[in-house]
Amino acid sequence: MILPIEHQILEAETLLSQRLNISEDAVPQVLRHIRKNISVLNVKICGNIIIAKQDGFFEFLIPVDKEFTSNEHYSFKKRLKLVNATRMRHYGSFGKIQNSLKELNEYIAEKNLVPITVPYIVEKDSSDNIYDIYIGISENET
């Protein structure tokens, strides 16, 4: 078991956001599609893609090299910042990330931490299937 690390920061700027109603199994395919086709928007990816699941949708946050005008497929976000997060590294396919997420949530519960965000999953290495999972934690004591 890989132990989570508390008091982590997740920060990214100049992001394209795309929200899709897809199955979890389709996430790796969407990530490949984004990397392969982002150049049609005349931007370059300049960081790790971040994935969040909220309200049944997956949101893909793509750090790019310049600002972008929102369109029907992508919206522009200036910044994402989690200042007090608990992070856990996941090694393996995206399809098995739920196992690591369960372990992270169990750790949060055992430590009596209060989660205040959805999980943010950062694709660290697509070829070796390495992801970091961040959950924002309340700085207020329970």
Side-chain angles (χ1 to χ4, degrees):
M1 177 175 171
I2 300 166
L3 290 176
I5 302 171
E6 295 179 36
H7 310 292
Q8 299 295 290
I9 295 173
L10 173 61
E11 191 170 14
E13 294 182 348
T14 317
L15 301 159
L16 298 185
S17 169
Q18 183 178 37
R19 288 175 47 93
L20 299 172
N21 186 4
I22 59 171
S23 70
E24 195 166 288
D25 296 340
V27 169
Q29 181 181 354
V30 170
L31 289 169
R32 284 189 298 275
H33 177 78
I34 289 169
R35 283 191 301 275
K36 183 178 177 182
N37 297 297
I38 198 77
S39 62
V40 300
L41 299 173
N42 198 27
V43 296
K44 293 179 185 166
I45 298 174
C46 62
N48 296 318
I49 298 174
I50 302 165
I51 307 144
K53 186 175 183 182
Q54 188 171 0
D55 302 327
F57 286 85
F58 280 96
E59 181 179 20
F60 295 84
L61 296 160
I62 308 146
V64 294
D65 61 342
K66 58 186 172 184
E67 291 195 12
F68 176 83
T69 303
S70 298
N71 63 31
E72 63 189 71
H73 301 288
Y74 294 97
S75 59
F76 177 75
K77 291 191 175 186
K78 187 121 181 107
R79 184 178 207 184
L80 166 72
K81 186 172 184 178
L82 295 179
V83 294
N84 185 35
T86 298
R87 176 180 60 88
M88 181 173 191
R89 178 143 296 169
H90 170 77
Y91 295 95
S93 70
F94 192 87
K96 296 191 186 247
I97 207 159
Q98 287 301 322
N99 297 337
S100 294
L101 186 55
K102 180 181 175 203
E103 287 180 32
L104 180 55
N105 281 319
E106 287 171 356
Y107 174 88
I108 288 169
E110 286 171 12
K111 295 286 190 171
N112 293 316
L113 302 174
V114 179
I116 57 171
T117 69
V118 299
Y120 287 89
I121 302 165
V122 180
E123 182 188 46
K124 299 298 281 183
D125 187 328
S126 61
S127 59
D128 285 335
N129 288 318
I130 300 172
Y131 302 90
D132 282 344
I133 307 167
Y134 291 81
I135 296 179
I137 301 296
S138 174
E139 294 185 49
N140 297 316
E141 294 187 25
T142 57

